[in-house]
Amino acid sequence: MSMMSRSLKAALLAGAFSVAMSTAALAADALKIGMPAKMFLNLVEFVAQDQGFYEKNGLTVELVHIADSSIPVRSLIAGELDISQAGMSETLAAADKGGTLKTIGGVHTGLHYAFYANAASGVKDVTDLPGKKVGISSPGSLPHVVITALMRQAGMSEEQIKSVQWVSLKGSSARINGILTGTIDATVSNYDPKAAHDKNAKVLFVVSKKLPNYVMTPWDVNDQTIAKKRDVLKRFVKAELEATRWIFDNEKGALDVAKKHFDYNDEQLAEFYEFYKVGGIWNPNGTVTADQAKYMQELNVEGGLQKAVHPAEKVLDTSIVQEVLAEIGTYKQP
């Protein structure tokens, strides 16, 4: 073998070793994501896993489903989670108390809640809630904040809000079961076509139509994670945006993935898909604006969950999403 051939072979082997090491390094980048109890909202994450969007971006992602939306924020502060997708209001409240947390964007920004009432409760609107048993996860949790925001928007007084009998039921399924059994009179919970067509329940309205500026479950991150794992977070954002856009462009494929993860028939899955896509629940550009952050903080202040409205730069960092959008472009729905 000539010296040139040996040199070429050595160079090729070195290159192959370098590529292998780079791929291995990317594959070793793991993220742990705190999320609500498993629901159709998470189709984005299941598509990102099943269709290889996480893998393509060099990520191993662990999805941790937690029924109580107040827990992921505590885990985020403790460094037990890399990202929380459990509720912006809780993250803002923690930041107000000194927690170094920020929202960086999200694909689950729209309110995916429907407003449910037990058929025999006599509840026809939020104005009927005083004195009624209303299901929430816990005081200050996402369902609690949303219901009080709806009541304030309807012009109801603090005295009327305080007269509600708040009943703590952990997780969306527990609150829906409470409606079906009559344990509670009303609640907000993720949309469920089975419950929506049950004779014991009534869906009074889709909450996103009442509170269009509400940011539901974005990507919330500890400042230290942004500093130490910025590139990993960027690849995560890219993977989730790619998965969301794939869902928008491939209804049949998206529903095929959904069949593997959810116990619903084809008609019910199609109903879910329509609700989340057309309802503006999924966000294919991952943006959260300064105006939205201000609105969310104002709700928290009104509800006593934080003391003051802070500047956007204290609670929001959109730079990672903007970098990703500069690479993959802005998605425009047909």
Side-chain angles (χ1 to χ4, degrees), residues 64-238:
V64 182
H65 295 281
I66 304 171
D68 187 343
S69 58
S70 65
I71 294 175
V73 172
R74 298 197 295 270
S75 299
L76 200 62
I77 293 172
E80 297 166 354
L81 293 172
D82 296 299
I83 300 171
S84 169
Q85 293 189 139
M88 188 176 184
S89 60
E90 289 96 331
T91 301
L92 290 171
D96 182 66
K97 295 177 177 63
T100 55
L101 306 177
K102 285 187 175 65
T103 294
I104 63 171
V107 290
H108 306 147
T109 53
L111 266 168
H112 63 268
Y113 281 168
F115 190 94
Y116 293 89
N118 176 268
S121 68
V123 174
K124 297 180 180 179
D125 199 0
V126 293
T127 54
D128 297 321
L129 294 184
K132 297 293 185 179
K133 294 176 289 184
V134 179
I136 58 175
S137 290
S138 59
S141 65
L142 189 59
H144 187 205
V145 171
V146 169
I147 293 170
T148 54
L150 288 167
M151 294 179 75
R152 291 191 180 93
Q153 186 188 65
M156 302 179 71
S157 68
E158 292 303 312
E159 193 65 29
Q160 288 175 306
I161 293 173
K162 290 179 181 177
S163 71
V164 171
Q165 299 179 53
W166 301 106
V167 179
S168 294
L169 295 171
K170 306 297 184 183
S172 292
S173 61
R175 295 197 304 279
I176 289 176
N177 285 336
I179 289 292
L180 299 181
T181 60
T183 303
I184 56 176
D185 298 308
T187 193
V188 291
S189 187
N190 58 291
Y191 182 74
D192 186 331
K194 290 180 180 178
H197 297 293
D198 191 288
K199 65 179 181 179
N200 294 313
K202 291 183 178 180
V203 173
L204 300 186
F205 54 83
V206 177
V207 179
S208 61
K209 303 298 183 181
K210 300 273 189 178
L211 300 174
N213 292 322
Y214 197 99
V215 180
M216 190 68 166
T217 52
W219 302 310
D220 295 325
V221 183
N222 192 305
D223 281 359
Q224 290 184 349
T225 304
I226 296 176
K228 295 179 180 179
K229 296 185 176 182
R230 184 179 181 86
D231 177 66
V232 181
L233 290 175
K234 183 176 177 180
R235 283 185 272 127
F236 171 79
V237 168
K238 184 179 179 183

